[in-house]
Amino acid sequence: MIYSENMVDNKKLSVKDGVAYFNISHCEPLFQLPNFFNLIATSDYKFNHTGPKFSVRNHIEGNPNLNPTSSYLADHALYVIHDLLKSSEQDIGQVYISCHRKVVVRNPIGSSASNYPGMSIAHGDELNERDLLSDKKSRFLIMRPMIFPDGIFGQYARKHSEKDFFNLLELAIQCGTLSTTQVNDFAATKMFFPGLVLGLIPKDTILGLLEPICRFIECTDSLEFQPEFSGDPYQSRARSFFIERLLSFLFLSNVDNQQSVFKSSEENSISLSAKEFGFCINFTAEKNSAAVYVHGHA
């Protein structure tokens, strides 16, 4: 059960024109963060943000369902966003999520990354506040999907840990995030939406996706899941990589069929048209840096 006593920092959620804007950051964002953004801080750092700021650590302290095994709290930031949206009585139609160095926007900014289709590399000065505002032209504004020829499992095993995949898969079944009948489809699915929560998504859709993810976070916390390579700064984020794939699969499971992802939207369905795919911008601290995407701390 999702625990929501003592609302996050007792601050009111900022909502602009029916959109709740969030930024998940462990350090000062690499672009100018407008004051209507709700900052979801996964660590304690000084940042002069005039809008609402919510501490992930403050929110999860005292929650009997959560027990982080490391200081990496990016997964728990999704838990906080879920609770904020569920408890808010404001009129929210869409949710926009960014992180300290990534945003999804309508138009390209910077230079296309040579090693990551759909990603651009830019400096924060190249972003205008209006680029972040929902133009109401589409229900979604997310990254285009990628294709994994060897499926979700094959790609995860190549890039991360096969052992972690199976351990996390077992826990996903245990908490009901995945059913036993979904397991094979999940492992074999070739279409993958990277960073699905980044960008613009209808509120009802994001809550529907985060509810099972929150159960999964609670389950892995309570059982103190430890990744195979817990000492590696990148591979220690095994659960985050798995959650990203879970989110994509859960989303795709609600699309009429894989072909309909590229067809026009229909009422009461999650079918996407071309206008609902945007550009993911990865910001760098240096101007005129090479157009190469470098994996880092999310």
Side-chain angles (χ1 to χ4, degrees), residues 31-245:
F31 62 96
Q32 186 66 39
L33 194 67
N35 60 11
F36 55 82
F37 267 69
N38 299 279
L39 180 64
I40 310 297
T42 61
S43 67
D44 297 325
Y45 62 93
K46 292 183 178 180
F47 174 46
N48 186 28
H49 178 57
T50 56
K53 179 180 178 181
F54 303 97
S55 165
V56 174
R57 188 168 298 282
N58 286 351
H59 182 61
I60 64 179
E61 283 183 356
N63 186 329
N65 301 316
L66 297 176
N67 179 35
T69 57
S70 75
S71 60
Y72 179 74
L73 301 177
D75 299 340
H76 296 85
L78 298 178
Y79 199 103
V80 174
I81 289 175
H82 169 274
D83 283 2
L84 280 167
L85 292 173
K86 286 286 285 187
S87 65
S88 176
E89 297 180 356
Q90 300 176 78
D91 184 14
I92 301 172
Q94 293 175 302
V95 175
Y96 184 90
I97 301 177
S98 61
C99 68
H100 84 283
R101 65 170 183 156
K102 290 190 181 77
V103 300
V104 176
V105 294
R106 176 76 63 191
N107 301 306
I109 297 172
S111 303
S112 297
S114 59
N115 60 335
Y116 198 123
M119 181 81 72
S120 293
I121 309 299
H123 186 267
D125 290 348
E126 298 178 71
L127 180 75
N128 292 312
E129 183 175 304
R130 63 178 178 272
D131 294 318
L132 298 170
L133 289 169
S134 171
D135 56 17
K136 309 296 184 180
K137 292 180 179 179
S138 58
R139 295 182 303 157
F140 294 85
L141 191 64
I142 57 178
M143 290 183 68
R144 289 184 178 274
M146 305 169 66
I147 300 297
F148 293 155
D150 50 354
I152 291 292
F153 166 67
Q155 193 272 345
Y156 191 99
R158 282 189 293 106
K159 296 293 185 178
H160 308 295
S161 162
E162 181 176 319
K163 178 182 177 182
D164 286 341
F165 184 90
F166 285 119
N167 287 340
L168 289 165
L169 184 64
E170 182 178 347
L171 294 174
I173 297 169
Q174 181 175 323
C175 69
T177 295
L178 283 178
S179 68
T180 54
T181 58
Q182 290 178 307
V183 169
N184 290 337
D185 286 342
F186 172 60
T189 294
K190 292 181 170 59
M191 185 176 286
F192 170 63
F193 288 86
L196 180 62
V197 295
L198 295 179
L200 188 71
I201 300 179
K203 176 188 174 183
D204 290 345
T205 301
I206 194 69
L207 284 176
L209 291 171
L210 291 184
E211 191 75 27
I213 295 301
C214 287
R215 290 200 306 270
F216 180 69
I217 292 171
E218 289 180 348
C219 178
T220 48
D221 266 16
S222 63
L223 296 177
E224 299 183 356
F225 166 77
Q226 289 286 351
E228 181 177 10
F229 304 109
S230 58
D232 183 288
Y234 183 64
Q235 297 298 350
S236 63
R237 292 158 50 191
R239 183 176 66 177
S240 285
F241 301 134
F242 192 84
I243 285 176
E244 185 180 20
R245 285 146 184 80

